[in-house]
Amino acid sequence: MTAVAGHRAKAAAPFATEATATVPQAVAQVVRERATTLFGLMGNGNAHLISELTSTGFPFVTVRHEAGAVAAADAFFRASGKLGTATVTYGAGFTNTLTALSEAAIARIPLILIVGDAPTSGPRFFDVDQVGMAAAAGVETVRLDAQDPAAQIREAYDRAAAESRPIVVAIPYDLVEAPVQAATQPAEAPQLTTLAAATPAATELEPLVAALRGAEKPLIIAGRGVVDSAGAPEALRRLADGLGAFIATSVMARQVAGPEGDLGIAGGFARLERVEIMRQADVVLVVGAGMNPFQMRYGTLVSEDALVLQVDSRAGQRGERTDRFLVADAGAALAALAAAFGATPQENGRPDGGWRGRQSLSAAPRVEGMRADGSMEDGLAEDGRLNPRTMALALEDILPRERTFVQDGGHFIGWIPLMCSVPDARSHLFVGTAFQSIGLGFPSAVGAAVARPNRTTVLVTGDGGGLMALPDFESFVRQARSGVVVVFNDAAYGAELHQYAARGLDEAAMLIEEVDFAALGRAFGADGIKVRSLQDLDALKDWVSRGAEGVFVLDLPISQAVVAEYMAESMAGARPAPRPLPVGSCTVSAIDS
């Protein structure tokens, strides 16, 4: 991990005590307690804070755009499960974060954003209502005072973690050199995680236990709530094994309980042969996963006759299709349900091994670009540009196995989930999907690379989102020990092209003059190639064989004629025609739950 370029940390000096510290020094002491890394960009409002940290060697990852600071901290949590911390200055520095901050709020990402703010005496002529803007994005602001800022920010960290949400901590500008007036001492063991969740009452669990006990074909759909809840993946595995149930997951919970009995992704990115198995379920237990239209394949994922049970920590998340709803933490509920059953299907009256024992699973279906003997074709679509499905399938075997995928928004987002595997449930990050944004990919890859530096971070982006995030292309090249940038480059805003040009709207504003991202990467110090055929991927193979060090940029000029499966299904009538396809500015809604 790098700190500010060219900066050499001063010899460590004794930290100011909270009783003698300035406000930024007191804040810095709490950051040292609660964080391992700070993501940010310096300005007038946070210069004192950053200097206090970097001068004593605290890891500071600088980005090139303020939105990148929040996006990196967001991705740091998604990849590691550890709360992230970011900092920017006031005014334009703060307003530049609003898209990334809104994404974190809607996606329920715990993070702390420390910002400068107007003086306590009142706003200056250039100040804006930062508290109001953050509130409009659904984010609380804690404005520090000089009385006990350390206690205030400690409480903010505790609540962000416990309530799984971002909180802004603002340092008024006239306090950047002000001494702390009084201070409390930190607790001996700072509270960094949520309290242990209460076990649901037996009366609450009984309807779910009875339904699962009587199920012939039980299916459990797990979402990010299972990934983020302590003990939930293990409890999920025990319950599924005891019932002989199949497991399916949201895209952000892939591999949450390992491969045994895993049908893969449920929802718009599912393999169709596996969806047909899911539709046979007579009891479906949904835990910590959204039941939005995309997740439920517009109402077609489960049978009309199936009994649907749902567990979520948020009362307002009950799905339209849900028959029994339990408000509970995923880990606590799954542990209690698993305890109600034996460890094997045979112990639970299923001598045949349950549904999983009776139902065989075929191998992954053959996809375009693969011959019957398993060899690959040239990788071209009919128009002579690359077939994106073939390229994604080829990447499955070329990329290092220990990898973290980070996907920006765009039409292209369906191919990697279909074609490429991941090692665990924190290895596939979809960024921007909650707020329907594009352009957060590069800085999010920075956060993922910091969170899991021993893995290859693979950013998957489109040309539209990639161009929007160019400032932090450099940040990723500088930061990543091992990284790959895959650009599905269709010279267009692909989602708009396939939604609206296909309906007769003029495509002029949907097209992008083709950019060579490999050349841009080389200008930033990366390696890379603009691919013209499947054989050109040998350059990536060579890079991997040499140790996969640094960053390699793979620019894939793909065909505009190949439409992603999820979009083709949606456009074919899986939703009422007047409603816009839920891809906003090139993303799909709520797939991160």
Side-chain angles (χ1 to χ4, degrees):
M1 174 164 43
T2 60
V4 179
H7 177 77
R8 185 181 298 276
K10 299 176 185 176
F15 299 142
T17 67
E18 289 183 11
T20 63
T22 64
V23 170
Q25 286 173 333
V27 171
Q29 181 57 36
V30 178
V31 172
R32 292 186 189 102
E33 294 172 8
R34 300 301 181 94
T36 58
T37 304
L38 179 65
F39 300 94
L41 195 153
M42 180 180 281
N44 290 347
N46 64 349
H48 292 77
L49 170 67
I50 293 175
S51 177
E52 173 66 21
L53 289 165
T54 58
S55 66
T56 53
F58 189 83
F60 176 63
V61 177
T62 186
V63 295
R64 302 307 183 196
H65 191 282
E66 286 91 354
V70 176
D74 176 325
F76 178 84
F77 169 78
R78 298 191 198 216
S80 69
K82 300 175 182 178
L83 189 148
T85 304
T87 184
V88 300
T89 190
Y90 51 68
F94 169 76
T95 59
N96 275 344
T97 70
L98 284 172
T99 294
L101 192 61
S102 298
E103 164 70 14
I106 298 171
R108 309 181 314 281
I109 303 298
L111 64 84
I112 293 293
L113 171 61
I114 305 172
V115 302
D117 202 357
T120 58
S121 58
R124 299 156 294 187
F125 72 93
F126 52 80
D127 284 318
V128 295
D129 181 9
Q130 296 182 186
V131 175
M133 289 181 179
V139 180
E140 174 191 352
T141 299
V142 175
R143 262 176 68 93
L144 300 182
D145 56 40
Q147 185 65 32
D148 197 350
Q152 289 177 286
I153 190 171
R154 283 193 188 100
E155 182 186 9
Y157 268 105
D158 288 341
R159 290 193 290 115
E163 298 163 16
S164 193
R165 62 187 178 96
I167 294 179
V168 174
V169 174
I171 305 176
Y173 189 64
D174 55 343
L175 299 186
V176 296
E177 294 181 330
V180 174
Q181 296 173 12
T184 57
Q185 293 302 311
E188 290 184 6
Q191 179 65 44
L192 300 181
T193 58
T194 57
L195 297 175
T199 300
T203 54
E204 297 176 306
L205 287 169
E206 183 52 38
L208 279 66
V209 171
L212 292 170
R213 195 178 302 281
E216 290 293 323
K217 296 182 177 181
L219 171 67
I220 307 174
I221 299 177
R224 212 190 79 204
V226 175
V227 179
D228 291 343
S229 178
E234 296 80 9
L236 169 63
R237 167 53 55 205
R238 293 196 303 273
L239 178 61
D241 288 349
L243 295 174
F246 280 113
I247 297 170
T249 70
S250 69
V251 71
M252 287 292 286
R254 297 176 69 187
Q255 289 283 8
V256 69
E260 185 67 27
D262 187 357
L263 295 176
I265 300 169
F269 299 146
R271 292 188 180 277
L272 292 180
E273 62 149 11
R274 299 297 176 86
V275 171
E276 292 305 317
I277 297 175
M278 296 176 203
R279 288 171 177 159
Q280 298 174 31
D282 58 350
V283 176
V284 179
L285 172 63
V286 182
V287 185
M291 295 183 66
N292 58 77
F294 186 79
Q295 183 72 39
M296 301 304 292
R297 292 188 79 94
Y298 305 94
T300 67
L301 182 66
V302 299
S303 164
E304 293 183 0
D305 298 327
L307 180 67
V308 178
L309 318 173
Q310 185 183 1
V311 176
D312 201 286
S313 60
R314 301 158 296 155
Q317 293 301 304
R318 180 169 185 153
E320 293 182 4
R321 185 65 181 77
T322 300
D323 298 300
R324 302 280 189 274
F325 185 71
L326 174 63
V327 179
D329 171 76
L334 285 169
L337 289 170
F341 296 94
T344 66
Q346 289 74 20
E347 294 177 46
N348 294 303
R350 295 171 167 84
D352 58 1
W355 188 21
R356 197 195 303 171
R358 301 190 304 270
Q359 175 73 52
S360 62
L361 297 180
S362 62
R366 179 172 172 265
V367 297
E368 291 182 40
M370 179 178 283
R371 298 188 180 95
D373 63 1
S375 62
M376 301 294 294
E377 298 174 358
D378 59 11
L380 301 182
E382 292 183 0
D383 60 3
R385 291 175 68 90
L386 298 176
N387 185 326
R389 296 190 183 97
T390 304
M391 294 297 112
L393 183 62
L395 290 175
E396 162 68 0
D397 292 326
I398 296 174
L399 292 170
R401 307 309 297 174
E402 291 298 308
R403 59 208 187 196
T404 303
F405 285 108
V406 179
Q407 294 210 191
D408 196 7
H411 165 243
F412 60 88
I413 60 177
W415 291 311
I416 292 296
L418 277 172
M419 309 301 180
C420 295
S421 60
V422 296
D424 60 52
R426 291 197 181 275
S427 298
H428 205 155
L429 283 59
F430 276 70
V431 298
T433 55
F435 192 46
Q436 302 288 279
S437 72
I438 65 174
L440 297 178
F442 277 113
S444 297
V446 171
V450 173
R452 307 186 87 166
N454 294 327
R455 293 192 170 189
T456 298
T457 302
V458 184
L459 171 65
V460 184
T461 185
D463 48 331
L467 288 170
M468 194 179 293
L470 276 184
D472 285 309
F473 194 165
E474 184 273 340
S475 302
F476 182 57
V477 173
R478 169 170 40 85
Q479 187 63 44
R481 180 198 63 82
S482 176
V484 177
V485 177
V486 179
V487 184
F488 283 99
N489 189 347
D490 59 358
Y493 295 103
E496 282 71 20
L497 194 70
H498 295 301
Q499 287 183 87
Y500 300 113
R503 300 180 189 177
L505 275 67
D506 184 65
E507 67 178 23
M510 305 174 196
L511 302 178
I512 299 172
E513 191 73 24
E514 188 165 323
V515 172
D516 187 338
F517 282 85
L520 285 173
R522 289 192 293 271
F524 287 132
D527 196 355
I529 185 174
K530 194 172 186 71
V531 176
R532 299 297 181 185
S533 71
L534 192 63
Q535 289 68 39
D536 287 345
L537 293 181
D538 287 344
L540 178 61
K541 293 180 184 178
D542 292 343
W543 178 82
V544 172
S545 69
R546 294 195 305 269
E549 294 288 334
V551 172
F552 191 96
V553 182
L554 200 67
D555 186 318
L556 304 177
I558 62 170
S559 172
Q560 295 177 359
V562 180
V563 182
E565 288 82 351
Y566 77 87
M567 183 167 285
E569 179 177 316
S570 300
M571 297 299 292
R575 56 173 178 80
R579 295 177 57 194
L581 179 68
V583 294
S585 183
C586 308
T587 75
V588 175
S589 65
I591 60 175
D592 60 340
S593 20

